[in-house]
Amino acid sequence: MSHTSLGGVGGNGASPPELHRFRHPGSGRGQARPTPRGRPVDPHARDEIEALLGDRPRRRDLLIEHLHLIQDTKGQLSAAHLAALADLMRLSMTEVYEVATFYAHFDVVKEGEAPIPPLTVRVCDSVTCALFGSEQLLADLRKRLGADVRVVRAPCVGLCDQAPAVEVGHHFLHHADVGVVEQAVKAGQHHPAIPPYIDHAAYVAGGGYALLERLRAGGLTSEAVLKVLDDGALRGLGGAGFPTGRKWRSVLGQPAPRLMAVNADEGEPGTFKDRHFLYSDPHRVLEGMLIAAHVVEATDIYFYLRDEYPIGQEILRQELPKLLPGGPRVYLRRGAGAYICGEESSMLESIEGKRGLPRQKPPYPFQVGLFGRPTLINNVETLYWVRDLLEKGAAWWTGHGRNGGKGLRSYSVSGRVRDPGVKIAPAGVTVRELIEEFCGGMQPGHRFAAYLPGGASGGILPAAMADIPLDFGTLEKYGCLIGSAGIVVLSDKDDVKEAARNLMRFFEDESCGQCTPCRSGTEKARILMERPVWDRELLAELSEVMREASICGLGQAAPNPVDCVIRYFPEAFANGGARS
């Protein structure tokens, strides 16, 4: 029988702690000390956390889930509660503390610090929200809201099409202004409302899960599924673009048991397609997920969803228990505010209850992935298209496309267009076509000047280069990437140098800090870019080091925006001297 859970499953559990003998300083060997080394555990705090955890397992991979439970209940993570959790999970305080402080959504209160105000308001300051005045909104809210409300910056929250976005508690406000936020604070609207979506009954009524049942019954073979994926050339649509059929075959070729992880941690500024699919048609994604798991014979699936999507969390909590019996066990895991966890190996580390630090490769996740097992990792949009591709055929899929592209793709479009949002368009469409045909043109009073073709890490191009097909392999020669197809449109009223500075500040904040080229490089680049005159030669040298030596894609792609501004926008430096 199919089993769904909000916790975790098997493997990687914490082993019992070693026993230690303690002694007084200067005492003989083997004589016990009266107190253990390290922080003593407060009995009252321990009782509180023990009651809160109840009968939940104390396994190491559930550490982040337990931290969420404490944060949701207490509104913060005190030193006493962290020590109690460490004691109950048989972990060192260091292990718990380093995880709690790594993720932005955990509010850790150090010993001796004042408690955090009961309500936190987060103002998104990523590139699209900045275009629509988030900096001024942040300053105004800090003046207007009382001392019992904490107002902080937040990185992209996935509402770029409804900028500026503000989070009050865990309730998101769209097109926010001071009045809207003040009203939400006074009304106590701190929980998300669930919009209408295609639930399990409606999805089944429309033919949903018939394909999965046919596959499980043997009417459709796994090899036939793989052939359609190969013939249709479906690619991973989370950014890397790896051929889906080849990835599934690679995992299937590894020894069992095999696992699967769904990467729904889109944190790229300008990207919000996962939100669109999960909030509107979640079972189409889930059926694609279960088909993939069947083909690679995965015993367990971990669905990793970013914490900025509480509506998606609630939808999945309602719908996962309704899945067909007889399949793999499915576990919903909640991110905690870390852009780096969109990188596949960082996500695996987070699912295992650790800091989201990228792993060195090889080995690759399909070889040694989650809990050391071969693991299939797919993006939400890739899984969304599986059912349509299998039901309608490879010829139907390849029949779509423009300018040499094949298939369909969702483009997250935000910025200065009249009608922003997720646009389902032929792969290879140009940004000019997107603006004119799918977005109703530019906003009144704005002239198209520049665009980001692939979110924060995809670079920045001028309007004169608006006819490049937006697809894999078409942008690389210009120093850009399509990535997850987050398109941000800038106008003649926007400053491309400030947009690049905004993006570099984002990368600096979101760097995991593991490798020096990224950790120090993003900081140094940001400092250089905040000077009135840019030292373009030094920025170019720094960019090369970051690209060549960073461990993962964050550091490797972080220089793209600044490199593009220097290369394609000479007018931005016209009055700043030779090195500006």
Side-chain angles (χ1 to χ4, degrees):
M1 178 156 183
S2 180
H3 173 67
T4 60
S5 170
L6 306 180
V9 63
N12 206 40
S15 59
E18 297 178 3
L19 300 179
H20 299 276
R21 296 183 64 83
F22 301 99
R23 51 193 181 87
H24 289 290
S27 63
R29 280 188 175 276
Q31 294 180 347
R33 338 169 15 114
T35 58
R37 295 182 187 274
R39 181 185 301 278
V41 177
D42 179 78
H44 177 67
R46 192 184 193 282
D47 290 342
E48 281 189 310
I49 299 304
E50 189 165 29
L52 193 59
L53 295 182
D55 60 358
R56 293 175 174 84
R58 270 58 164 173
R59 291 196 318 275
R60 176 67 168 83
D61 62 292
L62 291 176
L63 173 57
I64 293 175
E65 293 296 313
H66 295 341
L67 289 170
H68 272 304
L69 182 63
I70 300 171
Q71 172 89 25
D72 292 345
T73 305
K74 305 293 184 180
Q76 56 194 295
L77 299 173
S78 70
H81 286 141
L82 290 178
L85 180 63
D87 183 61
L88 289 167
M89 295 188 70
R90 297 188 173 187
L91 299 172
S92 69
M93 181 61 175
T94 300
E95 289 177 285
V96 174
Y97 185 80
E98 70 178 7
V99 171
T101 54
F102 180 86
Y103 296 92
H105 290 184
F106 292 140
D107 297 320
V108 178
V109 180
K110 298 177 183 177
E111 195 165 4
E113 288 184 343
I116 293 171
L119 179 63
T120 294
V121 172
R122 290 183 167 88
V123 181
C124 179
D125 68 352
S126 288
V127 60
T128 308
C129 284
L131 295 180
F132 289 89
S134 63
E135 283 293 332
Q136 186 61 51
L137 178 60
L138 177 69
D140 292 343
L141 289 174
R142 283 176 169 168
K143 294 177 182 177
R144 296 281 291 272
L145 298 180
D148 57 344
V149 178
R150 182 178 63 146
V151 181
V152 298
R153 295 177 180 274
C156 186
V157 297
L159 290 169
C160 313
D161 56 331
Q162 300 168 66
V166 173
E167 182 183 11
V168 178
H170 219 27
H171 173 68
F172 287 90
L173 305 176
H174 310 158
H175 306 297
D177 57 30
V178 173
V180 169
V181 176
E182 285 184 321
Q183 183 178 1
V185 169
K186 291 177 182 177
Q189 297 176 6
H190 307 152
H191 299 285
I194 309 299
Y197 66 92
I198 301 174
D199 63 10
H200 182 266
Y203 184 72
V204 171
Y209 292 114
L211 184 65
L212 176 63
E213 289 186 289
R214 184 177 159 215
L215 181 64
R216 289 180 176 176
L220 177 66
T221 66
S222 294
E223 183 55 40
V225 170
L226 291 169
K227 186 177 187 308
V228 174
L229 296 180
D230 291 339
D231 292 346
L234 180 65
R235 303 178 71 166
L237 300 175
F242 194 83
T244 302
R246 192 191 310 172
K247 177 183 281 192
W248 292 15
R249 289 181 191 276
S250 298
V251 175
L252 186 58
Q254 298 297 311
R258 291 176 284 272
L259 304 176
M260 180 178 182
V262 178
N263 189 343
D265 192 54
E266 61 174 3
E268 184 83 6
T271 305
F272 43 91
K273 59 189 179 62
D274 291 1
R275 187 200 80 208
H276 168 78
F277 292 127
L278 292 174
Y279 286 23
S280 60
D281 198 358
H283 282 281
R284 192 171 295 269
V285 177
L286 296 178
E287 183 169 14
M289 173 190 78
L290 292 174
I291 289 170
H294 179 92
V295 169
V296 304
E297 301 172 10
T299 58
D300 301 278
I301 302 172
Y302 290 78
F303 199 110
Y304 188 85
L305 179 63
R306 70 182 305 205
D307 196 35
E308 290 87 347
Y309 290 168
I311 292 174
Q313 288 280 347
E314 186 56 36
I315 289 173
L316 290 173
R317 289 178 192 274
Q318 293 180 16
E319 300 302 320
L320 282 175
K322 302 174 185 177
L323 296 180
L324 289 169
R329 292 162 293 190
V330 181
Y331 302 90
L332 179 59
R333 288 296 179 87
R334 179 177 168 187
Y339 167 71
I340 190 64
C341 288
E343 193 276 334
E344 60 180 11
S345 66
S346 300
M347 177 189 68
L348 298 182
E349 290 288 296
S350 187
I351 292 174
E352 292 180 1
K354 306 171 188 174
R355 293 176 294 165
L357 302 181
R359 298 176 180 176
Q360 294 280 5
K361 302 172 186 177
Y364 297 94
F366 81 89
Q367 300 165 315
V368 180
L370 195 56
F371 308 125
R373 303 308 313 165
T375 304
L376 173 65
I377 302 173
N378 276 136
N379 168 264
V380 166
E381 186 186 358
T382 303
L383 298 173
Y384 176 87
W385 291 116
V386 167
R387 177 187 165 191
D388 277 338
L389 184 54
L390 294 177
E391 287 184 342
K392 300 176 183 179
W396 167 82
W397 179 256
T398 57
H400 294 281
R402 291 188 188 179
N403 306 307
K406 294 186 182 298
L408 294 168
R409 182 139 199 204
S410 66
Y411 295 88
S412 305
V413 187
S414 64
R416 301 299 190 179
V417 295
R418 190 186 297 268
D419 181 25
V422 173
K423 310 298 178 180
I424 306 297
V429 69
T430 68
V431 71
R432 193 184 308 279
E433 292 168 337
L434 273 176
I435 293 171
E436 295 175 357
E437 298 178 33
F438 295 85
C439 299
M442 297 291 291
Q443 289 182 341
H446 289 268
R447 178 175 57 82
F448 178 37
Y451 67 105
L452 282 64
S457 57
I460 305 176
L461 293 173
M465 300 174 69
D467 296 314
I468 302 170
L470 297 173
D471 202 1
F472 295 111
T474 61
L475 292 157
E476 285 79 358
K477 63 183 177 182
Y478 304 106
C480 296
L481 301 167
I482 183 63
S484 54
I487 315 297
V488 182
V489 179
L490 309 181
S491 79
D492 56 328
K493 293 180 170 53
D494 301 315
D495 182 346
V496 291
K497 290 176 73 175
E498 177 53 36
R501 279 190 288 264
N502 178 288
L503 297 172
M504 191 58 71
R505 287 193 293 267
F506 171 81
F507 290 128
E508 180 189 4
D509 290 341
E510 295 297 327
S511 173
C512 74
Q514 181 178 194
C515 69
T516 302
C518 178
R519 180 185 66 249
S520 298
T522 52
E523 179 187 21
K524 181 65 174 177
R526 187 263 304 165
I527 292 171
L528 291 171
M529 295 168 71
E530 287 179 346
R531 293 176 178 174
V533 177
W534 285 15
D535 187 332
R536 286 179 276 177
E537 292 181 6
L538 185 56
L539 280 167
E541 182 180 342
L542 183 60
S543 171
E544 183 179 3
V545 172
M546 292 173 65
R547 291 183 188 283
E548 295 297 326
S550 295
I551 289 176
C552 80
L554 192 156
Q556 295 163 10
N560 286 346
V562 60
D563 288 353
C564 285
V565 170
I566 293 173
R567 182 178 178 183
Y568 298 117
F569 296 88
E571 67 276 10
F573 305 93
N575 299 318
R579 296 171 67 85
S580 69

